[in-house]
Amino acid sequence: MKIVTLRDIAEQLNISVTTVSKALKDYPDVSKKTKLQVRELAKTLNYKPNAFAVNLRTRESKTIGLIIPVIVHHFFSNVIKGIISQAEKKGYLVIILQSDESYELEKKQVELLLSQRVDGIIISLANGTAKYDHLNEIIAQGKPLVMFDKIAKMVKCSKVIIDDRKAAYTATQHLIDIGCKRIAHFRGALLPQNSIDRFLGYKKALLDNDLPYDPSLVYICECGDMSFEEGKKNAKQLLEDHDDVDGIFINTDLVAIGAMTAFQEMGVKIPEDISIVGFSNWFMSSVISPSLTTINQPGFEMGKRAFKQLFKEIKARKKEKPFEPKTVVLETDLIVRTSTKTNIT
């Protein structure tokens, strides 16, 4: 199928290519009659503007890059939906890449996006990311960068986050309020800032309520946020190590569901023997039995806000206006379900 060009329209109407271009852009120095003729013929011939040529002229690719640790994840899938919902309104294509929690792969993906001349990049860091040269390179090239969820505080760019410490404190405080005295924590890997902050929120809630912090009650999920099996493994290990734990705050819902599965297999009653609070509010957390008390993390809204911030910075860069990085903090809330006791002892 032949691609229709401005020259094809110009030749059929016996006018210049410049006049066709101006007519399509509604320039005032082109007559209404000519504009109407050009537009009707363009529609008949199914003319489409040459996006590459437009991008060269405007210095925009109308594409952005999105790097996330995992795609098959309730939270990240909601973030993607939020980003795309806003990007489509502004005519942007989103290139989605998965780092698979690998620092090396994340670096290569940043290089790929820069080579594709994207207008900006949104990223949630891999668990293994401890160096930030590749992120600073984005900024050095004058490209807007927005981080969300798993961020690096030392990188000077905009961020869209929740208050992970506050959310974890709320989750742990709920367990304390229903009478739990020995509260364990299944945390994420050591590096991600959100994993660190959730641990610190858990610890502070204990100390604020005069409950001792016991490091032996903290179990690390080395495989990241997606490990159902690691949730099961840690639950079994917890029962071997401690027979007096009556509450657990778990870093993500999928790990929590793995732990609940293991407890049920071993005859541990939830919430009668152990109350459990998760984090994220996956769809599955509301349909399992017992249903999972969890922190609702606003993934869709986080995606929307991340794109809106990136778009502002893309526009500022195009106009050669300076912009200061901004940190947007979204609210979370505790959703109480049946994995935690309803009675306060």
Side-chain angles (χ1 to χ4, degrees), residues 96-257:
I96 304 170
L97 301 173
Q98 176 178 293
S99 67
D100 200 25
E101 302 288 9
S102 165
Y103 164 65
E104 292 299 331
L105 183 54
E106 182 181 284
K107 281 200 306 179
K108 290 178 182 177
Q109 290 171 343
V110 167
E111 291 171 5
L112 173 64
L113 291 173
L114 290 175
S115 71
Q116 293 297 311
R117 302 185 183 279
V118 295
D119 293 334
I121 295 175
I122 300 173
I123 188 170
S124 181
L125 300 182
N127 282 345
T129 299
K131 298 177 182 178
Y132 311 123
D133 288 350
H134 61 306
L135 304 174
N136 288 322
E137 179 61 24
I138 299 170
I139 299 166
Q141 290 194 22
K143 302 285 186 182
L145 170 66
V146 175
M147 292 184 182
F148 73 95
D149 189 44
K150 292 195 281 189
I151 65 164
K153 289 183 177 179
M154 290 178 285
V155 177
K156 191 178 180 183
C157 69
S158 292
K159 302 170 180 74
V160 182
I161 57 174
I162 61 171
D163 189 334
D164 282 287
R165 291 194 197 193
K166 180 182 176 183
Y169 189 103
T170 298
T172 309
Q173 186 65 52
H174 173 67
L175 291 168
I176 295 168
D177 288 344
I178 61 173
C180 296
K181 303 294 184 185
R182 288 279 284 169
I183 302 171
H185 176 39
F186 292 2
R187 61 165 293 167
L190 292 175
L191 282 179
Q193 188 63 50
N194 63 353
S195 176
I196 295 168
D197 286 338
R198 289 175 198 177
F199 163 70
L200 293 174
Y202 153 80
K203 184 176 180 181
K204 188 173 191 303
L206 295 179
L207 299 178
D208 284 355
N209 286 273
D210 297 321
L211 293 176
Y213 163 66
D214 182 350
S216 72
L217 293 177
V218 177
Y219 293 76
I220 298 173
C221 295
E222 295 287 358
C223 296
D225 299 342
M226 286 292 293
S227 181
F228 173 87
E229 290 300 325
E230 200 157 19
K232 290 184 68 174
K233 183 190 76 173
N234 282 344
K236 292 174 181 177
Q237 189 63 50
L238 174 69
L239 287 187
E240 288 184 20
D241 297 341
H242 304 278
D243 59 5
D244 57 347
V245 167
D246 52 7
I248 316 174
F249 165 50
I250 301 181
N251 203 47
T252 60
D253 286 353
L254 189 58
V255 176
I257 292 169

Side-chain angles (χ1 to χ4, degrees), residues 66-79:
L66 170 61
I67 302 175
I68 56 176
V70 283
I71 292 175
V72 186
H73 188 299
H74 174 80
F75 168 69
F76 287 117
S77 66
N78 279 340
V79 172

Side-chain angles (χ1 to χ4, degrees), residues 23 33-34 57 119 128 138 140 153 187-188 195 285 291 314 330:
K33 180 182 177 181
T34 301
R57 187 174 65 252
D119 293 334
I138 299 170
K153 289 183 177 179
R187 61 165 293 167
S195 176
S285 65
S291 56
I314 289 171
L330 302 179

